[in-house]
Amino acid sequence: FIGGNFGFNTTNNKTGDGNKTSNYGLNLSPNVGNFFSDKIAIGVALDISLSGNTSGVNPETTSKSSILGGSLFLRYYAIKWDKFSVFGQGNIGLAFSNSSTKVDGSTTDGPKTTELYLSVYPGLSYDINDKLSLQISLNILSLGYNYTTTKIGTNTGNSSSFNIGAGLSNIVSISAITIGAIYKF
C-alpha cells in the first residue's frame, strides 16, 4: 500500500512603513507498506521538510531550515469487523535537521540536530472498497521516546524525553484526530 502527506504554504505581509514578512513551508511525507497477513503490515515512511522566513527591510533577515527523516513501522490490526478495523502502530525513526540565518549578507549556521524516536498509537480503519481505506490516528493514547543530539558550532548537547498518556477530553478536536487514506495494490 501507499499513503502519506504533501503540503505547501506561503504567506506574505507588508506594512505601510515598508516592513515585510514572508514565510514558506514544504512538506513531503510518503509511506509504503506491505500486508503480510490480514492482521500485520510493515512499512517505511520518509519525511522531507523545508521552511523559510524573510522579515525586515534594513537589515533583512532570512531564516531557513530543513528536515530529512525516515522511519520503519509495524501495524497490527487487533479487531476486524466487516469494513471497520482497530489497529495499533509502532514507529521507530531517525531524523536530521539544520538551519541557518542570514542578516544583511552575513550567514550564521543554526543548530544541527539528530533525533531518534519511538512512538506507539492506536488507530481506526474503514475500507471504502478493496483498494482504498480511510485511516484515523487517535491521539487519545500516546507512548513515545525521543533522543536528540544538538550541535551548535563545536558544542554538542543531548536530551531525551519519554511520554505516556491517555485522555478523552479532546477526542473531537482537530489536534486529536488525523484522517488519512492508503491505496492497496
Side-chain angles (χ1 to χ4, degrees):
F1 64 87
I2 61 170
N5 300 308
F6 169 78
F8 176 75
N9 64 63
T10 183
T11 60
N12 290 299
N13 296 310
K14 189 172 184 179
T15 61
D17 61 1
N19 263 335
K20 62 180 180 176
T21 303
S22 63
N23 299 294
Y24 71 89
L26 173 67
N27 181 284
L28 178 63
S29 304
N31 63 56
V32 296
N34 188 41
F35 283 95
F36 286 95
S37 71
D38 287 345
K39 292 193 172 256
I40 296 176
I42 296 175
V44 295
L46 182 64
D47 184 24
I48 300 169
S49 179
L50 304 169
S51 62
N53 170 280
T54 301
S55 62
V57 174
N58 193 11
E60 183 177 83
T61 302
T62 302
S63 301
K64 296 179 182 179
S65 65
S66 62
I67 299 171
L68 176 61
S71 65
L72 301 173
F73 65 85
L74 172 66
R75 184 177 292 171
Y76 177 73
Y77 288 83
I79 300 170
K80 285 193 166 252
W81 181 58
D82 195 23
K83 294 180 176 230
F84 289 96
S85 302
V86 176
F87 65 86
Q89 180 166 317
N91 298 328
I92 185 165
L94 182 63
F96 304 96
S97 67
N98 65 41
S99 62
S100 66
T101 303
K102 183 177 179 181
V103 180
D104 206 24
S106 177
T107 301
T108 305
D109 288 332
K112 296 179 187 309
T113 61
T114 303
E115 179 183 17
L116 177 64
Y117 60 90
L118 170 70
S119 64
V120 179
Y121 62 88
L124 302 173
S125 178
Y126 176 75
D127 296 332
I128 294 174
N129 56 41
D130 289 343
K131 299 288 184 188
L132 188 63
S133 295
L134 291 179
Q135 308 214 321
I136 302 171
S137 300
L138 301 174
N139 295 330
I140 58 174
L141 297 173
S142 64
L143 172 65
Y145 176 78
N146 289 41
Y147 181 80
T148 304
T149 300
T150 304
K151 185 175 181 179
I152 302 173
T154 59
N155 297 323
T156 301
N158 298 314
S159 65
S160 63
S161 64
F162 173 79
N163 74 60
I164 186 168
L168 298 175
S169 62
N170 288 326
I171 289 178
V172 183
S173 77
I174 299 294
S175 64
I177 296 177
T178 303
I179 300 174
I182 62 170
Y183 182 79
K184 301 174 194 172
F185 293 98

